[in-house]
């Protein structure tokens, strides 16, 4: 309104109704461009999905007027519920406007288009009303003066009616009579024509009194109008009175209200305010099936599709988030509450995130502090967080980075955590505190053990540094981190012969070397996956 163009925010009108202990929100108007049926369906879906758990029922009781009833649970805050609905639905929406009007150009009769703010638009309208009222009174004054002029002529004839009758009787026609009356009574053409068109009996005493009364009234009115035209204040008073009469006759209570942007009437809420806090388990399979469950007692009892197997099981509060790291160097974060609850296989993870061809999740972590620990960035910028992550790529690079940047939910396209060379991919992402040993093994049966702390810590996505230098025809196929000498990786040859790689069997060296040769001939076929366990939240 201040500029004459831009977005205007429209909000629905609502009130609270109470019947005993039952509290309901009644919506009595909605933005004009919103379809009511779609709005009701959207609110009902939010209630069913427990996005707004305070709503226990939604009804459309509209007739000719809008009436949508939202029954709330006992003790609910109606202001908070509506504030959240204003954010999630079209109960509040923006529309663009351009307030352009034709405004008269000063000193001309031409109107030109001009963008008007609210104040200027109202001023232009009032100026127009002032001009209309002025012209109306000027026209009325001209009509009064014309009529008074004619009545003056009637008065002259009445004063010597016998002479007027004699002139008319002796004339040879209307024109001759008109000339005679003009010459004798000193009349003009307008007065003479009015007299000749009037029946003479109306100039009798009884009628002339009415004529004189009319002349008196007309003169009084003409004087009043002259006073109005000589005073702008009087004309503005008349305009105000007329507008008030129009308001009284046609006006009604204002349905919309103009409020300041970001005014105190806007209650600030977030999705977290409506999340019922409870501990849940998030489960993902290699086939990309994702779900949330309230309890999980055994990994073996979690249903998966035939030929599929679990990638991870994490736990956390519905108010916290879970991050998924993909083989293409992208991290996807979702609030645990937003992950679909299911007793079956779940939903494809691609419904939540936009995965590229060949992209898959290689690691997932709950960012609930009880599950992950302290991932906050320390005040000393030279030190990395107590708990952070290390990633290993198929071309032998490694990089360390923090998790605090992945706490908030991401978009569908996620956030980059690594920049990979062409053909390379992430084979694993592991949480560490910097005291672990990093173990990597390649397809050509070369293994390297080095302190994880030797891998550079990065503030943003990068390529990292060499951990294991692999030949052009070789690639890293497995990695892990360990704090114990006897724990490490188990790899298998083509004939399924297992080989354990740990600090008890192999020497810990610095990063960037070619590593140890595990077998003299052949290649490694696969690396064993760590056994999954049902996580237990600390504290």
């Amino acid at each position: 309104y201040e500029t004459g163009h831009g977005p205007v925010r429209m909000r629905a009108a609502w009130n609270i109704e109470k019947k005993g202990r039952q509290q309901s929100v009644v919506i009595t108007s909605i933005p004009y461009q919103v379809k009511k049926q779609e709005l009701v369906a959207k609110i009902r879906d939010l209630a069913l999905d427990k996005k707004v758990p305070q709503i226990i029922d939604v009804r459309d009781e509209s007739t000719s007027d809008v009436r949508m009833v939202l029954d709330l649970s006992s003790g609910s805050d109606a202001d908070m519920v509506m504030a959240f609905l204003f954010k999630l639905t079209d109960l509040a929406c923006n529309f663009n406007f351009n307030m352009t009007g034709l405004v008269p150009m000063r000193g001309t009769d031409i109107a030109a288009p001009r963008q008007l703010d609210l104040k200027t638009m109202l001023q232009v309208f009032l100026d127009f009303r002032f001009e209309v009222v002025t012209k109306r009174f000027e026209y009325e004054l001209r009509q009064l003066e014309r009529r008074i002029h004619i009545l003056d002529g009637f008065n002259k004839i009445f004063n010597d009616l016998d002479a007027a009758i004699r002139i008319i009787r002796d004339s040879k026609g209307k024109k001759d009579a008109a000339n005679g009356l003009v010459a004798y009574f000193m009349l003009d053409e307008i007065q003479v024509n009015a007299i000749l068109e009037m029946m003479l009996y109306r100039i009798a005493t009884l009628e002339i009194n009415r004529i004189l009364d009319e002349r008196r009234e007309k003169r009084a009115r003409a004087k009043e109008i002259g006073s109005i035209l000589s005073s702008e204040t009087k004309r503005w008073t008349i305009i105000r009175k007329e507008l008030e009469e129009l308001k009284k006759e046609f006006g009604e209570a204002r349905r919309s209200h103009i409020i300041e942007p970001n005014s105190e009437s806007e209650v600030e809420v977030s999705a977290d305010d409506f999340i019922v806090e409870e501990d849940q388990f998030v489960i993902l399979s290699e086939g990309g099936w994702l779900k949330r469950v309230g309890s999980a007692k055994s990994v073996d009892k979690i249903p998966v599709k035939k030929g599929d197997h679990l990638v991870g099981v994490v736990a956390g509060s519905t108010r916290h988030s879970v991050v998924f790291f993909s083989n293409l160097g992208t991290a996807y974060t979702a609030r645990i509450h937003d992950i679909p609850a299911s007793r079956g296989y779940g939903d494809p993870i691609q419904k939540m995130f936009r995965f590229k061809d060949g992209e898959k999740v290689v690691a997932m972590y709950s960012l609930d502090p009880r599950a992950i620990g302290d991932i906050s960035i320390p005040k000393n910028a030279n030190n990395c967080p107590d708990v952070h992550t290390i990633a290993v790529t198929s071309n032998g690079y490694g990089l360390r980075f923090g998790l605090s940047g992945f706490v908030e939910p991401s978009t569908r396209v996620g956030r980059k955590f690594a920049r990979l060379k062409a053909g390379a991919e992430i084979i694993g992402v592991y949480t560490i505190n910097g005291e672990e040993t990093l173990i990597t093994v390649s397809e050509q049966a070369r293994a390297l053990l080095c302190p994880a702390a030797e891998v550079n810590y990065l503030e943003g996505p990068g390529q990292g540094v060499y951990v294991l230098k692999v030949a052009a025809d070789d690639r890293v196929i497995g990695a892990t981190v360990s704090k114990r000498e006897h724990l490490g990786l188990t790899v298998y040859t083509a004939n399924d012969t297992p080989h354990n790689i740990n600090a008890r069997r192999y020497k810990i060296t610095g990063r960037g070397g070619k590593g140890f040769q595990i077998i003299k001939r052949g290649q490694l076929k696969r690396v064993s996956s760590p056994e999954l366990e049902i996580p237990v939240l600390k504290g």
Side-chain angles (χ1 to χ4, degrees):
Y1 290 113
E2 293 180 354
T3 60
H5 67 92
V8 171
R9 188 161 182 80
M10 299 185 69
R11 298 180 63 195
W14 60 281
N15 56 65
I16 299 174
E17 289 186 358
K18 292 184 178 181
K19 294 181 181 178
R21 294 184 178 180
Q22 179 64 55
Q23 178 180 228
S24 301
V25 168
V26 179
I27 299 170
T28 55
S29 73
I30 59 177
Y32 73 93
Q33 71 270 45
V34 176
K35 294 182 179 180
K36 185 181 61 178
Q37 295 84 352
E38 294 179 0
L39 183 59
V40 172
K42 176 65 174 178
I43 296 175
R44 186 174 287 120
D45 289 343
L46 290 173
L48 291 175
D49 293 342
K50 300 299 182 182
K51 296 284 182 68
V52 191
Q54 293 87 342
I55 299 177
I56 58 177
D57 190 24
V58 181
R59 299 189 306 280
D60 183 8
E61 298 180 355
S62 303
T63 53
S64 57
D65 297 324
V66 173
R67 180 179 169 85
M68 296 164 53
V69 182
L70 315 179
D71 290 337
L72 305 183
S73 58
S74 178
S76 298
D77 187 333
D79 289 323
M80 293 285 285
V81 171
M82 290 303 297
F84 195 57
L85 291 180
F86 283 140
K87 277 193 171 185
L88 291 185
T89 72
D90 287 336
L91 282 174
C93 57
N94 294 340
F95 73 94
N96 291 321
F97 81 104
N98 192 341
M99 208 147 52
T100 302
L102 291 175
V103 180
M105 298 177 66
R106 186 172 297 178
T108 70
D109 294 331
I110 302 173
R114 178 181 165 192
Q115 196 170 76
L116 306 172
D117 56 43
L118 183 60
K119 180 181 179 181
T120 306
M121 181 194 69
L122 293 175
Q123 186 61 58
V124 170
F125 169 74
L126 290 174
D127 291 343
F128 171 73
R129 289 301 306 159
F130 185 84
E131 183 180 356
V132 167
V133 169
T134 300
K135 289 183 176 180
R136 187 180 74 204
F137 282 119
E138 288 175 345
Y139 174 78
E140 185 181 355
L141 182 60
R142 288 195 301 270
Q143 295 301 103
L144 286 170
E145 289 174 343
R146 179 183 176 87
R147 181 61 179 167
I148 291 170
H149 182 62
I150 292 173
L151 293 175
D152 286 342
F154 288 161
N155 187 48
K156 288 181 179 181
I157 292 293
F158 174 74
N159 290 334
D160 198 352
L161 186 58
D162 291 339
I165 294 173
R166 184 179 64 252
I167 292 171
I168 294 171
R169 182 183 297 163
D170 295 342
S171 64
K172 296 178 181 180
K174 183 177 180 180
K175 184 175 182 181
D176 189 29
N179 292 334
L181 291 172
V182 169
Y184 186 86
F185 290 100
M186 302 297 291
L187 302 173
D188 60 21
E189 184 180 354
I190 295 174
Q191 290 172 318
V192 167
N193 287 337
I195 291 168
L196 292 177
E197 290 174 1
M198 188 178 186
M199 293 181 181
L200 288 178
Y201 81 86
R202 294 193 62 186
I203 312 182
T205 303
L206 182 61
E207 290 296 327
I208 198 62
N209 287 335
R210 293 179 181 176
I211 290 172
L212 295 176
D213 289 343
E214 181 185 353
R215 186 178 69 162
R216 193 180 303 110
E217 292 173 0
K218 291 288 191 292
R219 283 181 172 176
R221 177 60 179 165
K223 183 179 180 181
E224 180 185 356
I225 292 176
S227 175
I228 292 172
L229 290 173
S230 65
S231 172
E232 288 191 4
T233 302
K234 289 183 178 180
R235 275 175 282 171
W236 282 119
T237 302
I238 291 171
I239 292 171
R240 175 186 288 275
K241 182 179 179 182
E242 290 177 349
L243 291 176
E244 288 175 347
E245 289 175 352
L246 287 172
K247 177 183 177 181
K248 184 177 180 181
E249 183 176 359
F250 300 105
E252 58 183 18
R254 172 172 283 279
R255 296 184 180 182
S256 60
H257 300 276
I258 299 175
I259 60 175
E260 291 291 334
N262 302 320
S263 66
E264 293 182 359
S265 62
E266 294 273 2
V267 179
E268 290 296 326
V269 295
S270 66
D272 290 353
D273 296 327
F274 293 89
I275 295 176
V276 178
E277 187 170 7
E278 56 184 345
D279 291 337
Q280 298 275 283
F281 294 90
V282 178
I283 301 168
L284 177 68
S285 74
E286 187 178 31
W289 294 94
L290 178 67
K291 65 180 177 179
R292 168 170 59 91
V293 296
S295 63
K297 297 181 179 179
S298 171
V299 172
D300 296 336
K301 294 182 179 180
I302 297 175
V304 293
K305 288 193 172 186
K306 187 176 181 180
D308 199 2
H309 66 272
L310 298 180
V311 169
V313 181
V314 299
S317 165
T318 47
R319 288 184 178 270
H320 291 288
S321 52
V322 57
V323 59
F324 305 91
F325 293 101
S326 83
N327 62 322
L328 300 186
T330 302
Y332 303 89
T333 307
R335 195 79 67 192
I336 292 177
H337 173 76
D338 294 329
I339 293 173
S342 173
R343 294 182 179 179
Y345 301 128
D347 290 347
I349 193 171
Q350 288 86 349
K351 287 181 67 175
M352 296 190 67
F353 308 113
R354 193 177 299 163
F355 278 23
K356 300 179 180 65
D357 291 342
E359 189 169 13
K360 62 182 180 179
V361 174
V362 295
M364 58 184 287
Y365 294 102
S366 167
L367 299 184
D368 186 326
R370 297 174 297 166
I372 195 74
D374 185 8
I375 61 173
S376 60
I377 299 175
K379 294 181 179 180
N380 185 348
N382 295 323
N383 295 327
C384 59
D386 289 344
V387 177
H388 54 284
T389 49
I390 188 169
V392 177
T393 68
S394 59
N395 59 343
Y397 280 80
L399 59 150
R400 287 193 295 153
F401 56 93
L403 288 166
S404 59
F406 303 100
V407 171
E408 292 301 318
S410 68
T411 62
R412 286 175 54 82
V413 296
R415 304 181 180 97
K416 277 288 182 184
F417 69 91
R419 301 193 183 282
L420 303 174
K421 287 189 175 181
E425 62 179 355
I426 301 292
I427 63 165
V429 179
Y430 315 95
T431 58
I432 61 172
N433 60 21
E435 298 176 359
E436 295 84 355
T437 298
L438 174 62
I439 303 172
T440 54
V441 62
S442 75
E443 191 175 46
Q444 298 294 338
R446 302 201 69 87
L448 184 140
L449 290 75
C450 70
E454 289 189 2
V455 176
N456 292 0
Y457 181 86
L458 304 180
E459 296 294 340
Q463 179 178 297
V465 294
Y466 259 125
V467 175
L468 173 63
K469 287 187 177 180
V470 293
D473 60 344
D474 196 5
R475 60 189 294 271
V476 175
I477 60 171
T480 191
V481 291
S482 175
K483 284 186 177 182
R484 299 181 181 180
E485 289 185 347
H486 66 286
L487 297 180
L489 279 176
T490 300
V491 296
Y492 295 85
T493 61
N495 59 2
D496 271 344
T497 301
H499 288 268
N500 295 323
I501 304 173
N502 53 52
R504 183 173 291 175
R505 298 188 61 183
Y506 296 93
K507 182 181 178 181
I508 298 175
T509 63
R511 68 165 183 83
K514 294 182 179 180
F516 303 98
Q517 189 71 42
I518 299 173
I519 57 176
K520 294 181 179 181
R521 295 180 182 178
Q523 297 180 339
L524 298 179
K525 180 181 179 182
R526 61 186 176 89
V527 179
S528 64
S529 300
E531 292 187 6
L532 294 180
E533 297 180 353
I534 300 299
V536 177
L537 295 173
K538 302 173 183 178

Coordinates of all heavy atoms in Angstrom, one line a residue, residues 388-392 400 429-441 447-455 467 478-489 501-511 516:
H388 N 32.8 -35.9 15.4 CA 32.7 -35.5 14.0 C 32.8 -36.7 13.1 O 32.6 -37.8 13.6 CB 33.8 -34.5 13.7 CG 35.2 -34.9 14.0 ND1 35.7 -35.0 15.2 CD2 36.2 -35.4 13.1 CE1 37.0 -35.4 15.2 NE2 37.3 -35.7 14.0
T389 N 33.0 -36.5 11.8 CA 32.9 -37.6 10.9 C 34.2 -37.7 10.0 O 34.8 -36.7 9.8 CB 31.7 -37.6 10.0 OG1 31.6 -36.3 9.5 CG2 30.4 -37.9 10.8
I390 N 34.4 -38.9 9.5 CA 35.5 -39.0 8.5 C 34.9 -39.9 7.4 O 34.1 -40.8 7.6 CB 36.7 -39.7 9.2 CG1 37.9 -39.8 8.2 CG2 36.4 -41.2 9.6 CD1 39.2 -40.2 8.8
A391 N 35.2 -39.4 6.2 CA 34.7 -40.1 5.0 C 35.9 -40.6 4.2 O 36.9 -40.0 4.1 CB 33.8 -39.2 4.1
V392 N 35.7 -41.8 3.5 CA 36.7 -42.4 2.6 C 36.1 -42.6 1.3 O 35.0 -43.0 1.1 CB 37.2 -43.7 3.2 CG1 38.2 -44.4 2.3 CG2 37.8 -43.5 4.6
R400 N 37.8 -35.2 6.9 CA 37.1 -35.1 8.2 C 36.3 -33.8 8.1 O 36.7 -32.8 7.6 CB 38.0 -35.1 9.4 CG 38.7 -36.4 9.7 CD 39.3 -36.4 11.0 NE 40.5 -35.4 11.1 CZ 40.9 -34.8 12.2 NH1 40.2 -35.0 13.3 NH2 41.9 -34.0 12.2
V429 N 31.1 -43.4 5.7 CA 31.2 -42.2 6.5 C 31.1 -42.7 8.0 O 30.1 -43.4 8.3 CB 30.1 -41.1 6.2 CG1 30.3 -39.9 7.1 CG2 30.2 -40.7 4.8
Y430 N 32.1 -42.3 8.8 CA 32.1 -42.9 10.2 C 32.3 -41.8 11.2 O 33.0 -40.8 11.0 CB 33.3 -43.8 10.3 CG 33.5 -44.8 9.1 CD1 34.3 -44.4 8.0 CD2 32.7 -45.9 9.0 CE1 34.4 -45.2 6.9 CE2 32.8 -46.8 7.9 CZ 33.6 -46.4 6.8 OH 33.7 -47.2 5.7
T431 N 31.6 -41.9 12.3 CA 31.8 -41.0 13.4 C 33.0 -41.3 14.2 O 33.3 -42.5 14.6 CB 30.5 -41.0 14.3 OG1 30.3 -42.3 14.9 CG2 29.3 -40.5 13.6
I432 N 33.8 -40.2 14.6 CA 35.0 -40.4 15.4 C 35.2 -39.3 16.4 O 34.4 -38.3 16.3 CB 36.2 -40.5 14.4 CG1 36.4 -39.2 13.7 CG2 36.1 -41.6 13.5 CD1 37.6 -39.0 12.9
N433 N 36.1 -39.4 17.2 CA 36.6 -38.3 18.1 C 38.0 -37.9 17.9 O 38.6 -37.1 18.6 CB 36.3 -38.6 19.6 CG 37.1 -39.8 20.1 OD1 38.0 -40.2 19.5 ND2 36.6 -40.4 21.1
G434 N 38.6 -38.6 16.9 CA 40.0 -38.3 16.5 C 41.1 -39.2 17.1 O 42.2 -39.2 16.8
E435 N 40.6 -40.1 18.0 CA 41.6 -41.1 18.6 C 41.6 -42.4 18.0 O 42.3 -43.3 18.4 CB 41.2 -41.2 20.1 CG 41.3 -39.9 20.9 CD 40.8 -40.1 22.3 OE1 40.4 -41.3 22.7 OE2 40.8 -39.1 23.1
E436 N 40.8 -42.6 16.9 CA 40.7 -43.9 16.3 C 41.8 -44.2 15.2 O 42.5 -43.3 14.8 CB 39.3 -44.0 15.6 CG 38.1 -44.0 16.5 CD 37.7 -42.6 16.9 OE1 38.4 -41.6 16.5 OE2 36.7 -42.4 17.6
T437 N 41.8 -45.4 14.9 CA 42.7 -45.8 13.7 C 41.8 -46.0 12.5 O 40.7 -46.7 12.6 CB 43.4 -47.2 14.1 OG1 44.3 -47.0 15.2 CG2 44.2 -47.6 12.9
L438 N 42.2 -45.5 11.4 CA 41.5 -45.6 10.1 C 42.0 -46.7 9.4 O 43.3 -46.8 9.1 CB 41.5 -44.3 9.3 CG 40.9 -44.3 7.9 CD1 39.4 -44.6 8.0 CD2 41.2 -43.0 7.2
I439 N 41.2 -47.7 9.0 CA 41.6 -48.9 8.2 C 41.0 -48.8 6.8 O 39.8 -48.7 6.7 CB 41.2 -50.2 8.9 CG1 41.8 -50.2 10.3 CG2 41.7 -51.4 8.1 CD1 41.3 -51.3 11.2
T440 N 41.8 -48.9 5.8 CA 41.3 -48.9 4.4 C 41.9 -50.1 3.7 O 43.0 -50.6 3.9 CB 41.6 -47.6 3.6 OG1 43.1 -47.5 3.7 CG2 41.0 -46.4 4.3
V441 N 41.1 -50.7 2.7 CA 41.5 -51.8 2.0 C 41.1 -51.7 0.5 O 40.0 -51.2 0.3 CB 41.0 -53.1 2.6 CG1 39.5 -53.2 2.6 CG2 41.6 -54.3 1.9
A447 N 46.2 -52.9 2.0 CA 45.5 -52.3 3.2 C 46.4 -51.3 3.9 O 47.7 -51.5 3.8 CB 45.1 -53.4 4.2
L448 N 45.8 -50.3 4.5 CA 46.6 -49.3 5.2 C 45.9 -48.9 6.5 O 44.7 -48.7 6.5 CB 46.9 -48.1 4.3 CG 47.8 -47.0 4.9 CD1 48.7 -46.4 3.8 CD2 47.0 -45.9 5.6
L449 N 46.7 -48.8 7.5 CA 46.2 -48.4 8.8 C 46.9 -47.1 9.2 O 48.2 -47.1 9.2 CB 46.4 -49.5 9.9 CG 45.6 -50.8 9.8 CD1 46.1 -51.7 8.7 CD2 45.6 -51.5 11.1
C450 N 46.2 -46.1 9.6 CA 46.8 -44.8 10.0 C 45.9 -44.2 11.0 O 44.7 -44.4 11.1 CB 47.0 -43.9 8.8 SG 45.5 -43.3 8.1
P451 N 46.5 -43.2 11.8 CA 45.7 -42.5 12.8 C 44.7 -41.6 12.0 O 45.0 -40.9 11.1 CB 46.7 -41.6 13.5 CG 48.0 -42.3 13.3 CD 47.9 -42.9 11.9
A452 N 43.4 -41.7 12.5 CA 42.4 -40.9 11.8 C 42.6 -39.4 11.9 O 42.3 -38.7 11.0 CB 41.0 -41.2 12.4
A453 N 43.3 -39.0 12.9 CA 43.6 -37.6 13.2 C 44.5 -37.0 12.1 O 44.6 -35.8 12.0 CB 44.2 -37.4 14.6
E454 N 45.3 -37.9 11.3 CA 46.1 -37.4 10.3 C 45.4 -36.9 9.1 O 45.9 -36.1 8.2 CB 47.1 -38.5 9.9 CG 48.2 -38.8 10.9 CD 49.3 -39.7 10.3 OE1 49.2 -40.1 9.1 OE2 50.2 -40.1 11.1
V455 N 44.1 -37.3 9.0 CA 43.3 -36.8 7.8 C 42.9 -35.4 8.2 O 42.4 -35.1 9.3 CB 42.1 -37.7 7.6 CG1 41.2 -37.1 6.5 CG2 42.5 -39.1 7.3
V467 N 44.8 -41.1 1.6 CA 44.9 -42.0 2.7 C 45.7 -43.3 2.2 O 46.7 -43.6 2.7 CB 43.5 -42.4 3.3 CG1 43.7 -43.5 4.4 CG2 42.8 -41.2 3.9
G478 N 36.7 -50.9 1.0 CA 36.2 -51.0 2.3 C 37.0 -50.1 3.3 O 38.2 -49.9 3.0
A479 N 36.4 -49.7 4.3 CA 37.1 -48.9 5.3 C 36.3 -49.0 6.7 O 35.1 -49.3 6.7 CB 37.2 -47.4 4.9
T480 N 37.0 -48.7 7.7 CA 36.4 -48.6 9.0 C 37.3 -47.8 10.0 O 38.4 -47.5 9.6 CB 36.0 -50.0 9.6 OG1 35.2 -49.9 10.7 CG2 37.3 -50.7 10.0
V481 N 36.8 -47.5 11.2 CA 37.6 -46.9 12.2 C 37.5 -47.8 13.4 O 36.4 -48.4 13.7 CB 37.1 -45.4 12.5 CG1 37.4 -44.5 11.3 CG2 35.6 -45.4 12.9
S482 N 38.6 -47.8 14.2 CA 38.6 -48.7 15.4 C 39.5 -48.1 16.5 O 40.5 -47.5 16.2 CB 39.1 -50.1 15.0 OG 39.2 -50.9 16.1
K483 N 39.1 -48.3 17.7 CA 39.9 -47.9 18.9 C 40.6 -49.1 19.5 O 41.5 -49.0 20.4 CB 39.0 -47.2 19.9 CG 38.6 -45.8 19.6 CD 37.9 -45.1 20.7 CE 37.6 -43.7 20.4 NZ 36.9 -43.0 21.6
R484 N 40.2 -50.3 19.1 CA 40.8 -51.5 19.7 C 41.6 -52.3 18.7 O 41.3 -52.4 17.5 CB 39.7 -52.4 20.2 CG 38.8 -51.8 21.3 CD 37.7 -52.7 21.8 NE 36.9 -52.0 22.8 CZ 35.9 -52.6 23.4 NH1 35.6 -53.9 23.1 NH2 35.2 -52.0 24.3
E485 N 42.7 -52.9 19.1 CA 43.7 -53.5 18.2 C 43.0 -54.7 17.5 O 43.4 -55.0 16.4 CB 44.9 -54.0 19.0 CG 45.8 -52.9 19.5 CD 47.1 -53.5 20.1 OE1 47.1 -54.7 20.4 OE2 48.0 -52.7 20.3
H486 N 42.2 -55.5 18.2 CA 41.7 -56.7 17.6 C 40.5 -56.5 16.7 O 40.0 -57.4 16.1 CB 41.3 -57.7 18.7 CG 40.2 -57.2 19.6 ND1 40.3 -56.2 20.5 CD2 38.9 -57.6 19.6 CE1 39.2 -56.1 21.1 NE2 38.3 -56.9 20.6
L487 N 39.9 -55.2 16.7 CA 38.7 -55.0 15.8 C 39.1 -54.2 14.6 O 40.0 -53.3 14.6 CB 37.7 -54.1 16.6 CG 37.1 -54.8 17.9 CD1 36.2 -53.8 18.5 CD2 36.4 -56.1 17.5
G488 N 38.6 -54.7 13.5 CA 38.9 -54.0 12.2 C 38.0 -54.5 11.1 O 36.8 -54.5 11.3
L489 N 38.6 -54.8 10.0 CA 37.8 -55.3 8.8 C 38.0 -56.7 8.5 O 39.1 -57.3 8.7 CB 38.2 -54.5 7.6 CG 37.7 -53.1 7.3 CD1 38.3 -52.5 6.1 CD2 36.1 -53.1 7.2
I501 N 41.7 -57.7 9.1 CA 42.7 -56.6 9.0 C 42.5 -55.8 10.3 O 41.4 -55.2 10.4 CB 42.5 -55.8 7.8 CG1 42.5 -56.6 6.5 CG2 43.5 -54.6 7.7 CD1 42.2 -55.9 5.2
N502 N 43.5 -55.8 11.2 CA 43.4 -55.0 12.4 C 44.7 -54.6 12.8 O 45.8 -55.0 12.3 CB 42.6 -55.8 13.5 CG 43.2 -57.1 13.7 OD1 44.4 -57.3 13.9 ND2 42.4 -58.2 13.7
A503 N 44.8 -53.7 13.9 CA 46.1 -53.2 14.4 C 46.9 -54.3 15.0 O 48.1 -54.1 15.2 CB 45.8 -52.0 15.3
R504 N 46.3 -55.4 15.4 CA 47.1 -56.4 16.1 C 47.9 -57.2 15.0 O 49.0 -57.7 15.3 CB 46.2 -57.4 16.8 CG 46.8 -58.5 17.6 CD 45.8 -59.3 18.4 NE 45.3 -58.5 19.5 CZ 44.3 -58.9 20.3 NH1 43.8 -60.1 20.1 NH2 43.9 -58.1 21.3
R505 N 47.4 -57.2 13.8 CA 48.1 -58.0 12.7 C 48.9 -57.1 11.8 O 49.9 -57.6 11.2 CB 47.1 -58.8 11.9 CG 46.3 -59.8 12.7 CD 45.4 -60.6 11.7 NE 46.3 -61.4 10.8 CZ 45.8 -62.2 9.8 NH1 44.5 -62.3 9.7 NH2 46.6 -62.8 9.0
Y506 N 48.6 -55.9 11.7 CA 49.3 -55.0 10.7 C 49.7 -53.7 11.4 O 49.0 -53.2 12.3 CB 48.4 -54.6 9.5 CG 48.0 -55.8 8.7 CD1 46.8 -56.5 8.9 CD2 48.9 -56.3 7.7 CE1 46.5 -57.6 8.2 CE2 48.5 -57.4 6.9 CZ 47.3 -58.0 7.1 OH 47.0 -59.1 6.4
K507 N 50.8 -53.2 11.0 CA 51.4 -52.0 11.6 C 50.7 -50.8 11.3 O 50.3 -50.6 10.1 CB 52.9 -51.9 11.2 CG 53.6 -50.8 11.9 CD 55.1 -50.8 11.4 CE 55.8 -49.6 12.0 NZ 57.2 -49.5 11.5
I508 N 50.5 -49.9 12.2 CA 49.9 -48.6 12.0 C 51.0 -47.7 11.4 O 52.1 -47.5 12.0 CB 49.3 -48.0 13.2 CG1 48.2 -48.9 13.8 CG2 48.8 -46.6 13.0 CD1 47.6 -48.4 15.1
T509 N 50.7 -47.1 10.2 CA 51.7 -46.2 9.6 C 51.1 -44.9 9.4 O 50.0 -44.6 9.8 CB 52.1 -46.8 8.2 OG1 51.0 -46.8 7.4 CG2 52.7 -48.2 8.4
G510 N 51.8 -44.0 8.7 CA 51.2 -42.7 8.3 C 50.3 -42.8 7.1 O 50.4 -43.8 6.3
R511 N 49.5 -41.9 6.9 CA 48.6 -41.9 5.7 C 49.4 -41.6 4.4 O 50.5 -41.0 4.5 CB 47.5 -40.8 5.9 CG 48.0 -39.4 5.8 CD 46.8 -38.4 5.6 NE 47.4 -37.1 5.5 CZ 47.8 -36.5 4.4 NH1 47.9 -37.2 3.3 NH2 48.3 -35.3 4.4
F516 N 49.9 -52.4 2.9 CA 50.5 -53.7 3.0 C 49.7 -54.6 2.0 O 48.6 -54.4 1.7 CB 50.3 -54.3 4.4 CG 51.0 -53.5 5.4 CD1 50.2 -52.6 6.2 CD2 52.3 -53.6 5.7 CE1 50.8 -51.9 7.2 CE2 52.9 -52.8 6.7 CZ 52.2 -52.0 7.5

